[in-house]
Amino acid sequence: KLSSAKQMKRIHQQLKGVLSLLRGLITACDYSAGQALARSNNNSSYKEYLPFLRQVLEIARRHKIMNPEKMRTEYGKLVYLLQDAVRLEQEGLLDYGDDDDDDDDDNDNRNNNHNDNSHTSLIAPIQTVYKFLEERDGLDLLRDKNIEIATEEILATPGKTRARIDQEIRRKERAVAQLKKQYRSTNLSMEDIHLCLYSICDNNSFLNSNRVPIDKVIDFLKTH
């Protein structure tokens, strides 16, 4: 068991590491703001940057999910650092200040499915197409029969002619246009629908990029 002095030293090092990361992220986007934070010893100074920091870290985590081969060492370090941050938050050693602004009430209601601690923590739920549409009452889009056509990846498989590929591209574009027109609303714009459809398409492309080579290898093994 660590002595009290060693334990406090370790906590100080963890807190210093977490704040250094946050300050670095802010400095990379706003140098003057980063310098102001460097001169301040008050953790609550980070309060106004919490939405930005949560978004950046959520994007990094989502990027790793979609690209497992990337950030092999950096991601592990990031996870450990975020674990330290959460523990420090729970122990009250990393306090960003009370969030008593009334301006965020509407946004809170719109995102009422988020974790209760998301306003005062660095950890934000992973943003998915389902969650994005659920918050905007647009889940009917996922149930439409044309979504499979609108989100399919057009593959140049052996034996497929250029004319066939062009035909599939035009069919996909028509399906995308029809879905955008049919499901747009006051809460869900055509740009939002476009983003969701091509996000699903990107996921399909990711799955194909991992599955197709395996299928080819299996086929070679069976043939030869």
Side-chain angles (χ1 to χ4, degrees), residues 22-134:
L22 303 185
R23 189 164 57 247
L25 290 173
I26 295 170
T27 303
C29 297
D30 189 336
Y31 182 78
S32 60
Q35 290 298 302
L37 288 173
R39 293 190 294 267
S40 174
N41 293 323
N42 188 358
N43 293 347
S44 62
S45 301
Y46 292 86
K47 173 185 172 182
E48 62 179 299
Y49 302 104
L50 268 182
F52 163 75
L53 294 169
R54 284 198 298 265
Q55 183 180 32
V56 168
L57 295 171
E58 185 273 335
I59 290 173
R61 289 155 55 213
R62 185 151 36 96
H63 176 75
K64 176 62 175 178
I65 292 173
M66 295 301 297
N67 302 273
E69 76 283 0
K70 298 182 179 179
M71 299 172 62
R72 290 185 179 273
T73 57
E74 294 84 354
Y75 187 74
K77 296 175 183 177
L78 175 63
V79 170
Y80 283 129
L81 189 141
L82 291 178
Q83 288 175 343
D84 289 340
V86 171
R87 187 173 64 82
L88 292 170
E89 290 167 0
Q90 292 174 344
E91 294 177 358
L93 299 173
L94 186 58
D95 184 11
Y96 308 106
D98 295 330
D99 191 359
D100 53 3
D101 295 336
D102 294 331
D103 296 338
D104 293 332
D105 288 344
D106 293 338
N107 187 57
D108 292 344
N109 293 331
R110 187 177 186 181
N111 298 284
N112 56 9
N113 290 316
H114 285 187
N115 293 340
D116 293 338
N117 295 329
S118 64
H119 298 293
T120 56
S121 174
L122 287 175
I123 308 299
I126 292 292
Q127 183 72 289
T128 63
V129 170
Y130 185 92
K131 176 67 70 174
F132 184 87
L133 292 174
E134 184 181 41

Side-chain angles (χ1 to χ4, degrees), residues 187-205:
N187 297 325
L188 192 64
S189 67
M190 295 180 69
E191 290 76 14
D192 290 336
I193 297 173
H194 185 92
L195 175 65
C196 291
L197 293 176
Y198 278 88
S199 179
I200 298 174
C201 186
D202 287 343
N203 182 67
N204 291 336
S205 298

Side-chain angles (χ1 to χ4, degrees), residues 166-215:
D166 291 340
Q167 181 183 10
E168 291 181 357
I169 292 175
R170 288 193 295 270
R171 185 181 66 164
K172 178 178 178 178
E173 291 175 346
R174 287 196 298 270
V176 170
Q178 187 268 330
L179 291 174
K180 289 165 64 175
K181 182 178 180 180
Q182 180 177 350
Y183 291 99
R184 65 178 178 179
S185 65
T186 55
N187 297 325
L188 192 64
S189 67
M190 295 180 69
E191 290 76 14
D192 290 336
I193 297 173
H194 185 92
L195 175 65
C196 291
L197 293 176
Y198 278 88
S199 179
I200 298 174
C201 186
D202 287 343
N203 182 67
N204 291 336
S205 298
F206 168 73
L207 295 176
N208 282 329
S209 67
N210 288 274
R211 178 185 60 81
V212 172
I214 302 300
D215 289 342

Side-chain angles (χ1 to χ4, degrees), residues 210-223:
N210 288 274
R211 178 185 60 81
V212 172
I214 302 300
D215 289 342
K216 289 182 178 179
V217 171
I218 293 175
D219 184 63
F220 288 151
L221 292 173
K222 290 181 177 179
T223 304

